[in-house]
Amino acid sequence: MSSSKQEVAAKDPSHCGGGEGREAVDRIITGRFASRSFTSRAVPKQTIEDILDVARFAPSGANIQPWNVYVLGGSEKEEVSRALLEAHNKARDQHKSEYQYYATELPEPYLSRRNQFGRLFYGSLGIEQADLVGRAGQTSKNYGFFGAPVGLIVTIDRRLQVGSWLDLGMFVQNVMIAAGARGLQTCPQETFSKYHIVLREFLPIPAEQMVVCGVSIGFAEDELVSSGRLMPRVAVSEFTRFIGFED
């Protein structure tokens, strides 16, 4: 789209800063969790378009808007899922992500937090951390988008630098918040990047684009919604220093 045709956000002061609006946004953010089980209830294409239409107003350095999205649904999504699952089951060692998500040696306190995640997540599923077969089986559910009717594949131009990945992260967060505002849950999934070669067989991803993640979108199972967030979050005081403020 040429710059002359790009849209700008309409100003609507009546919706800015109100108590109800603030509480609604807070509720959506704190109520978001990575759903790993969705119902088969359909999500209309228009709903996904609306979500992306909101998410595109994420901030980006110099407004370069470095996000690209492929939306999968219906039989095409199922076909991609089957191919991904086959690759995962038969040749997972032959595939590798185009980028490294975690540091090779994770320092504290991040190492302890990741270990805590493993205990809580696999414990909630009744899978021992040493049970590699059980863990691989749980991982395989990623490639079916955990049963969600819609799956996003998010890419970024590999020629961009780390700052643009920050922009992309804010865009993905916008997607998840906008989905939450519509009663939907999501699950961001880096694991799709490992099978970028398989995805390129089905999606017109240009060579200069790198697969960053997938995002499952749908209606979460009721039991997940009622149980809510499983993972604890550190307190504000643990990651923030206020300077120049009175107590």
Side-chain angles (χ1 to χ4, degrees):
M1 180 182 295
S2 66
S3 58
S4 62
K5 294 183 179 179
Q6 292 186 26
E7 301 172 48
V8 297
K11 294 182 178 179
D12 187 356
S14 65
H15 290 82
C16 299
E20 292 183 3
R22 181 178 62 246
E23 291 175 3
V25 172
D26 289 355
R27 188 165 51 249
I28 292 167
I29 293 174
T30 58
R32 187 204 64 80
F33 62 92
S35 176
R36 291 179 172 83
S37 184
F38 293 87
T39 72
S40 59
R41 181 178 170 185
V43 177
K45 177 186 175 186
Q46 185 61 55
T47 300
I48 300 301
E49 288 185 350
D50 291 345
I51 289 169
L52 296 173
D53 192 42
V54 173
R56 68 192 172 105
F57 288 98
S60 62
N63 196 35
I64 66 171
Q65 306 169 65
W67 36 80
N68 299 275
V69 182
Y70 299 85
V71 184
L72 286 167
S75 59
E76 284 78 4
K77 181 182 75 70
E78 300 304 321
E79 186 177 7
V80 171
S81 289
R82 282 193 294 272
L84 290 169
L85 187 58
E86 182 177 6
H88 176 71
N89 289 335
K90 296 182 178 178
R92 73 188 67 165
D93 293 338
Q94 298 175 20
H95 292 269
K96 184 179 180 181
S97 175
E98 293 186 284
Y99 70 98
Q100 185 170 337
Y101 193 99
Y102 296 107
T104 303
E105 294 185 9
L106 206 57
E108 293 293 353
Y110 316 110
L111 178 60
S112 294
R113 291 173 186 169
R114 186 171 70 174
N115 291 339
Q116 180 189 51
F117 166 84
R119 290 193 301 272
L120 291 174
F121 177 62
Y122 290 108
S124 71
L125 300 172
I127 300 173
E128 297 288 340
Q129 282 196 275
D131 181 359
L132 298 182
V133 174
R135 294 179 65 163
Q138 177 59 34
T139 299
S140 69
K141 295 180 181 178
N142 277 281
Y143 309 115
F145 296 92
F146 297 112
V150 177
L152 310 184
I153 299 297
V154 181
T155 70
I156 193 170
D157 193 311
R158 68 179 74 250
R159 295 168 295 185
L160 300 179
Q161 296 299 316
V162 65
S164 295
W165 285 64
L166 176 64
D167 302 336
L168 183 64
M170 290 187 279
F171 170 79
V172 173
Q173 176 72 354
N174 270 6
V175 168
M176 293 189 287
I177 293 173
R182 290 160 174 79
L184 299 165
Q185 279 294 353
T186 53
C187 186
Q189 298 154 264
E190 174 273 341
T191 190
F192 284 99
S193 65
K194 178 177 179 179
Y195 297 103
H196 61 94
I197 293 176
V198 177
L199 289 169
R200 293 178 193 279
E201 295 175 1
F202 295 90
L203 306 177
I205 302 173
E208 69 271 16
Q209 292 286 324
M210 183 185 300
V211 175
V212 176
C213 68
V215 182
S216 298
I217 301 180
F219 293 93
E221 296 283 0
D222 289 343
E223 62 184 38
L224 292 180
V225 176
S226 59
S227 59
R229 180 186 299 280
L230 175 64
M231 298 300 159
R233 299 301 173 126
V234 298
V236 172
S237 59
E238 292 190 44
F239 62 83
T240 307
R241 299 293 181 272
F242 288 95
I243 300 168
F245 291 83
E246 297 180 358
D247 291 334

